[in-house]
Amino acid sequence: MDSKKLTLSNGAPYFEHQDSQTVGPRGPVLLQDFILQENLAHFVRERIPERIVHAKGSGAYGTFTVTHDISQYTKAKLFSKVGNSCRMFARFSTVGGEKGSADTARDPRGFALKFYTEDGNWDLVGNNTPVFFIKDAKKFPDFIHTQKRVPKTNLKSATMMWDFWSLNPESLHQVLILMSDRGTPHGYRHMHGFGSHTFSMINDKNERVWVKFHFKTKQGVKNFTEEEAVKMAGENPDFAQEDLCNAIENGDFPKWTMYIQVMTEEQAKDFRWNPFDVTKVWFHDDFPLIEVGEMELNEIPVNYFAHVEQSTFSPSNLINGISFSPDKMLQGRLFSYPDAHRYRVGVNAHQLEVNRCPFEVNNYQRDGYMADSSHYQDKPNYHPNSFDDIKADSSYKNYEYELDSAHVASYNRNDNDSDHYTQPGLLYSKAMNAEDRDHLIKNIVGSMSGITGPKRDEIINRQLCHFFRANIELGMKVASQLNVNIDANMMNHSK
């Protein structure tokens, strides 16, 4: 086989890869050794800013295939008929840990999907939980700070985590999921995925419904216990990455079944809770799962950095027939996600292979760092113009609708939506079995035992009140194992 020449980035071949130019065998290195300069300069720039959240992750390519007809709900071409398929890319991740942290840590898991469709790339950016800790994006930076490190010591802190959660009872639903064994999934193949937010679908009659997306693992749900997760973090902090890679390399392609829940606009008006509140679920008995298709991951990227680290996802990457909702957290993400990618990867991140739409991209965006003009070349960068053949298609007009109110204000997110306890209580009493409940309590006690400082008792008592409101047994067991004496005031607060 013919060998290839070693070249510089400009394509010029060179030979001296291991020895710098010096004045004599022991003399100083010359500035003119541009080969040394280029290699060192590139080396110290090999990393891009780490994701603030979801830094530790794994990714794979695959295929999504439509198995059931949902065209009555959406005009998206992907779902226009059974058998349609598209290539896709999935990235799984932990949320709070840094890039070098263990991927078995107790944490929610990111579940980000990119569908390369003929109508553009569609990103569904969710988690392995159907709910989240907060319901307004304005609170997101503060929440994430509590999951990171204390500014003074640069250490993780159970105190600031539980302080925040105890002051924000809307987090209780997600906290109970996080503190259960679902907070330590056995890799990425054995967990469900959720779009989490409420989205909308619009059909060819211009009718809108609200939807939630679910992905159920076909490998079966499997979780670590706290002890197993901690042990694995020490033995193999890359367990989930290795598990995913090994499975795909061995031909054991992981699969998930996609479902949707559908709620009409009329049903939304009468729903017990705010249907756009990401701290709540829609009960399956009321809004049953409707099967849609199957996702299969079957290809590990050839280069982790190029494909997984540089992949960008945003819920603003929507396609005709699928749209957003008034979900306040989702609305914030529509801005913050693409903005994060413009900072982290660059304004032309969408031109990279993993993010690029494989079909048409025609617009008037130009230039910026790492601009690739191979597609638009010398075409006009303004509109309207007399020279190009780009025409806006009226069939892709946005869905038009009336808002319920024209009054602008910073509405209290909990006004008429302050029931933070019914669903967590049902999660504990109905969805969990006896073993799940035992592990949940053990994990909560273990975590809350790390609360320290002069506000320790105040934080613990405040959080215990939330547990009591959700379920008396839960509160009693946690309090007992934390050696907290229950007084009448605490019980009264729980009513």
Side-chain angles (χ1 to χ4, degrees):
M1 183 176 68
D2 293 338
S3 59
K4 296 180 179 179
K5 294 183 177 69
L6 176 66
T7 75
L8 289 165
S9 59
N10 69 340
Y14 74 97
F15 176 75
E16 297 85 358
H17 186 72
Q18 300 189 54
D19 299 305
S20 301
Q21 278 189 357
T22 59
V23 181
R26 297 186 179 182
V29 175
L30 294 176
L31 182 62
Q32 71 182 30
D33 190 345
F34 55 87
I35 297 171
L36 169 67
Q37 291 179 38
E38 178 173 302
N39 285 333
L40 288 182
H42 188 279
F43 173 72
V44 299
R45 292 167 175 81
E46 283 183 357
R47 297 295 174 263
I48 59 178
E50 180 177 287
R51 287 172 167 89
I52 302 299
V53 288
H54 299 280
K56 178 68 177 282
S58 305
Y61 285 99
T63 303
F64 176 76
T65 304
V66 177
T67 58
H68 291 72
D69 183 9
I70 60 165
S71 58
Q72 63 179 305
Y73 302 119
T74 177
K75 58 186 173 182
K77 290 181 181 178
L78 174 62
F79 300 113
S80 62
K81 67 177 181 179
V82 172
N84 279 1
S85 66
C86 69
R87 193 169 189 241
M88 63 174 300
F89 182 76
R91 185 177 186 271
F92 310 115
S93 56
T94 54
V95 174
E98 298 88 0
K99 194 171 184 299
S101 60
D103 56 21
T104 56
R106 182 168 301 282
D107 209 357
R109 299 299 189 272
F111 200 99
L113 308 176
K114 186 181 295 291
F115 300 82
Y116 303 101
T117 88
E118 61 182 302
D119 256 352
N121 291 352
W122 170 39
D123 290 355
L124 188 60
V125 193
N127 287 323
N128 70 327
T129 60
V131 295
F132 196 61
F133 297 94
I134 52 176
K135 61 172 83 172
D136 191 315
K138 221 171 192 180
K139 300 174 68 61
F140 190 74
D142 294 305
F143 164 66
I144 292 299
H145 287 165
T146 72
Q147 307 301 298
K148 292 292 188 176
R149 296 178 179 272
V150 176
K152 179 180 179 180
T153 63
N154 198 42
L155 297 173
K156 293 290 187 77
S157 168
T159 303
M160 66 179 183
M161 281 195 308
W162 286 101
D163 186 36
F164 182 89
W165 289 337
S166 69
L167 289 166
N168 289 274
E170 68 200 69
S171 67
L172 185 60
H173 199 170
Q174 177 76 312
V175 167
L176 292 190
I177 296 176
L178 175 64
M179 288 294 150
S180 74
D181 288 346
R182 290 170 64 182
T184 50
H186 191 277
Y188 300 127
R189 296 184 300 126
H190 294 281
M191 66 184 191
H192 295 327
F194 303 87
S196 300
H197 298 288
T198 299
F199 292 87
S200 60
M201 281 185 168
I202 297 131
N203 65 15
D204 56 6
K205 298 183 180 69
N206 213 33
E207 298 166 332
R208 181 176 64 178
V209 293
W210 306 116
V211 298
K212 283 186 178 288
F213 293 96
H214 301 249
F215 289 79
K216 288 191 172 291
T217 176
K218 300 187 81 167
Q219 290 68 242
V221 172
K222 187 177 180 182
N223 297 313
F224 285 121
T225 64
E226 170 71 8
E227 293 78 12
E228 291 169 340
V230 171
K231 185 172 183 288
M232 184 57 72
E235 293 178 352
N236 183 3
D238 301 315
F239 168 82
Q241 166 80 6
E242 184 175 343
D243 178 72
L244 181 66
C245 288
N246 286 347
I248 293 176
E249 292 292 338
N250 293 332
D252 183 15
F253 301 141
K255 299 177 182 179
W256 287 260
T257 303
M258 175 181 163
Y259 299 87
I260 59 172
Q261 286 179 287
V262 175
M263 180 186 292
T264 66
E265 294 189 348
E266 291 72 26
Q267 289 172 317
K269 294 175 183 176
D270 298 326
F271 190 51
R272 176 177 175 180
W273 294 284
N274 176 359
F276 314 113
D277 179 351
V278 74
T279 68
K280 307 291 194 303
V281 298
W282 302 354
F283 295 140
H284 292 184
D285 288 345
D286 300 325
F287 305 95
L289 295 179
I290 300 170
E291 189 168 347
V292 178
E294 182 180 89
M295 152 183 155
E296 176 188 274
L297 299 182
N298 49 35
E299 179 188 343
I300 294 296
V302 294
N303 183 282
Y304 179 92
F305 181 86
H307 295 260
V308 183
E309 189 66 14
Q310 291 193 129
S311 63
T312 63
F313 299 85
S314 172
S316 61
N317 287 338
L318 296 162
I319 57 175
N320 193 39
I322 301 175
S323 192
F324 48 82
S325 79
D327 181 331
K328 291 182 181 180
M329 273 295 293
L330 174 60
Q331 293 271 327
R333 295 176 79 203
L334 295 175
F335 162 77
S336 66
Y337 272 59
D339 186 54
H341 305 320
R342 285 186 285 266
Y343 156 72
R344 193 179 68 87
V345 186
V347 72
N348 288 305
H350 59 280
Q351 295 180 2
L352 297 173
E353 180 181 0
V354 64
N355 304 316
R356 186 186 309 137
C357 174
F359 301 96
E360 280 191 286
V361 176
N362 301 303
N363 57 37
Y364 300 93
Q365 298 173 4
R366 298 290 188 271
D367 308 336
Y369 286 114
M370 304 297 287
D372 179 0
S373 68
S374 58
H375 173 64
Y376 54 79
Q377 297 180 344
D378 64 346
K379 293 178 181 178
N381 63 349
Y382 63 95
H383 176 83
N385 67 75
S386 305
F387 305 101
D388 69 25
D389 57 357
I390 299 175
K391 303 294 181 186
D393 187 338
S394 62
S395 66
Y396 290 89
K397 286 180 65 175
N398 283 335
Y399 176 79
E400 298 179 4
Y401 58 97
E402 300 292 332
L403 295 174
D404 292 337
S405 171
H407 182 70
V408 176
S410 293
Y411 292 94
N412 186 323
R413 68 192 183 283
N414 291 319
D415 276 352
N416 301 313
D417 191 29
S418 59
D419 179 6
H420 310 305
Y421 306 107
T422 299
Q423 290 199 3
L426 292 171
L427 174 66
Y428 178 82
S429 64
K430 302 294 185 183
M432 293 183 177
N433 60 34
E435 183 181 43
D436 293 333
R437 290 192 285 268
D438 288 344
H439 288 183
L440 170 68
I441 291 164
K442 181 181 179 182
N443 295 335
I444 289 174
V445 171
S447 180
M448 291 185 71
S449 296
I451 301 173
T452 61
K455 297 286 187 178
R456 178 181 183 274
D457 292 344
E458 178 183 329
I459 293 169
I460 289 176
N461 289 335
R462 189 165 54 225
Q463 184 63 42
L464 284 173
C465 288
H466 300 319
F467 290 146
F468 278 120
R469 288 185 178 103
N471 185 278
I472 294 293
E473 176 188 288
L474 170 62
M476 291 295 292
K477 289 188 173 182
V478 173
S480 174
Q481 294 186 35
L482 284 173
N483 297 316
V484 175
N485 293 321
I486 307 302
D487 60 31
N489 288 330
M490 187 176 296
M491 295 300 292
N492 288 335
H493 284 313
S494 69
K495 293 179 180 177

